[in-house]
Amino acid sequence: MESKHCIDGIIAALKKTARPGKQAGERKGYHHGDLRTALIHAAEDLLAERGAEGFSLREVARRAGVSPGAPAHHFSSAAGLLTEIAISGFDQLAADLQRIAETDLPPAERLQAQGIAYVRFGLKQPGRFQLMFRHDLLLPDNDRLHAAGKTAMKELEETVRLYRTAQGRPADDAEVMRLCLAIWSMVHGFLQLTLDGKFAALAPDGSIDAFVVSELPAIIKATWP
Amino acid sequence: MESKHCIDGIIAALKKTARPGKQAGERKGYHHGDLRTALIHAAEDLLAERGAEGFSLREVARRAGVSPGAPAHHFSSAAGLLTEIAISGFDQLAADLQRIAETDLPPAERLQAQGIAYVRFGLKQPGRFQLMFRHDLLLPDNDRLHAAGKTAMKELEETVRLYRTAQGRPADDAEVMRLCLAIWSMVHGFLQLTLDGKFAALAPDGSIDAFVVSELPAIIKATWP
DNA sequence: AGATCGATCTGAACACTGATAAGATTGTCA
DNA sequence: TGACAATCTTATCAGTGTTCAGATCGATCT
């Protein structure tokens, strides 16, 4: 009995890490085995390929080799599936920011690095990033989603507090919040405008990402030296 | 002959300003008379009610009292109609910014006022604003759209140039561009995050607009004094 | 071991969407 | 008046998310 349960756990873990089922038709029988995570993986792939607007729940089911009605047994709706992906996106973002917070860089450089990391995150995963800020595609009032978003922002908040105190300026909650909103807004807007192609004319050779990554540090450092 | 054409012009002008056809069934006969502008008005109303995601070309046709296929004779596609609305949005935004540029405020206050005007524009017309930055819903490579966007940004650019020279700091093209990107990114990101509800937790009494309008000036002035 | 039962998936609906094409209608112009 | 081009209707197509009765399967209980 006990050994059986143990083996089941190992098998389930192997299935998750091995990422099977990406090819349709790999299924053993009527039951998929781990459809929930297979759907999430398929959705992440689709999001990476076509962006948030090219997403389609039926296409995800198709890629998982399953009928259009199958996802309903694992997610309340398309928004439910997308919400999971948005949550893991905020988790990844928080991890990226935390990695910088744990360095021994001076506060100013730490702040700048976090801003750059925010933009890099969005450039690497445009579809996922834009999804994270499309509340019309996500479940409203989802506690885990809100919590994940706040966790990511806490990373920035702590850095801002250090930055202010290192500057010898007041670091009360109101001042910290204002600077948080300021830098978050700037990197977020910069990223959104980039992803929407509004800076296309500024990059002569057509490589927007290169332009963005080269100009952004100068912009941030000029604003918050 | 000539008087007839003249009268036709007057009638057409009256129709445009009077905004008829908002109620379905007001049509005289088989032909609508001024369906193109009626569709634009209906689309603007729908956008104001349900936002960019609630938009539907069929619903617009329904509101104009016309069949689903009718819009195809006036716009190449749904994106064609939405592009017209985005263009007029950039025109309005440019006018708002220009109104401030024509005042005799000192450059710093002028810059701050333009940032605040940008956010106010988006708060007043959230659906239209978000549409303006959803290139997946608009016609790609539309010259008039790109031109309208650039015109709006020129208003900001001139103010930035004044601001830099008034500060006695270098105002070459590269520096002006960087500051333009910085302030545009911040107000744009601030607005996007607000409209996506990411600041909802910060406004205690639930009135986000009031919170935003009260905090934004402090944030901008703290960043660019 | 065998029956049962809940979880899982299918397949077919339903009500939508945007786009397209053939035909009906109308205004205009020669 | 007749012809023509612009305009609008109607029907159709392919696609979407969601729902639901029924098929299938794994696991659990007797």
Side-chain angles (χ1 to χ4, degrees), chain A residues 100-164:
Chain A
I100 293 165
E102 285 169 351
T103 63
D104 52 354
L105 288 168
E109 292 180 27
R110 214 179 288 192
L111 186 67
Q112 295 156 5
Q114 282 191 330
I116 293 169
Y118 190 95
V119 174
R120 280 189 184 274
F121 172 82
L123 291 179
K124 276 192 189 167
Q125 308 193 57
R128 188 185 224 120
F129 174 80
Q130 291 188 308
L131 170 70
M132 290 158 61
F133 298 92
R134 282 287 300 276
H135 71 277
D136 55 293
L137 298 181
L138 304 174
L139 290 180
D141 310 320
N142 182 295
D143 292 338
R144 286 169 49 230
L145 179 62
H146 289 107
K150 283 188 181 175
T151 300
M153 281 315 110
K154 288 287 176 196
E155 298 294 337
L156 176 63
E157 190 179 326
E158 202 46 41
T159 304
V160 163
R161 199 178 305 274
L162 254 79
Y163 173 79
R164 293 281 299 188

Side-chain angles (χ1 to χ4, degrees), chain B residues 47 52 82 85-86 126-134 137-138:
Chain B
L47 228 47
L82 290 173
I85 296 176
R128 188 185 225 121
F129 174 79
Q130 292 189 306
L131 170 70
M132 289 158 61
F133 298 92
R134 283 286 301 277
L137 299 180
L138 304 175

Side-chain angles (χ1 to χ4, degrees), chain B residues 98-225:
Chain B
Q98 192 183 16
R99 210 165 298 127
I100 293 165
E102 285 170 351
T103 62
D104 52 354
L105 288 168
E109 292 181 28
R110 214 179 288 193
L111 186 65
Q112 295 155 6
Q114 282 191 330
I116 294 168
Y118 190 95
V119 174
R120 280 188 183 274
F121 173 80
L123 291 179
K124 277 192 190 169
Q125 308 193 57
R128 188 185 225 121
F129 174 79
Q130 292 189 306
L131 170 70
M132 289 158 61
F133 298 92
R134 283 286 301 277
H135 70 276
D136 55 292
L137 299 180
L138 304 175
L139 289 179
D141 311 319
N142 183 296
D143 292 337
R144 285 170 50 231
L145 179 61
H146 290 106
K150 283 188 181 174
T151 301
M153 281 315 111
K154 288 286 176 197
E155 297 295 335
L156 177 61
E157 191 179 325
E158 202 45 42
T159 304
V160 163
R161 200 178 304 274
L162 255 78
Y163 173 80
R164 293 279 301 187
T165 55
Q167 272 194 330
R169 307 185 65 193
D172 54 301
D173 287 353
E175 283 301 324
V176 168
M177 184 203 66
R178 289 202 188 94
L179 184 47
C180 262
L181 293 191
I183 189 163
W184 184 17
S185 293
M186 182 185 287
V187 293
H188 186 80
F190 191 83
L191 188 44
Q192 290 272 20
L193 291 169
T194 301
L195 295 180
D196 196 66
K198 298 297 182 195
F199 297 158
L202 298 178
D205 51 353
S207 168
I208 315 254
D209 284 21
F211 169 81
V212 161
V213 172
S214 75
E215 282 293 326
L216 179 65
I219 291 173
I220 295 182
K221 285 173 187 170
T223 312
W224 295 285

Side-chain angles (χ1 to χ4, degrees), chain A residues 5 30-31 55-59 62 68-69 72 76-78:
Chain A
H5 276 110
Y30 197 94
H31 280 36
F55 176 85
S56 148
L57 187 58
R58 289 180 104 105
E59 173 65 20
R62 226 170 278 136
S76 58
S77 64

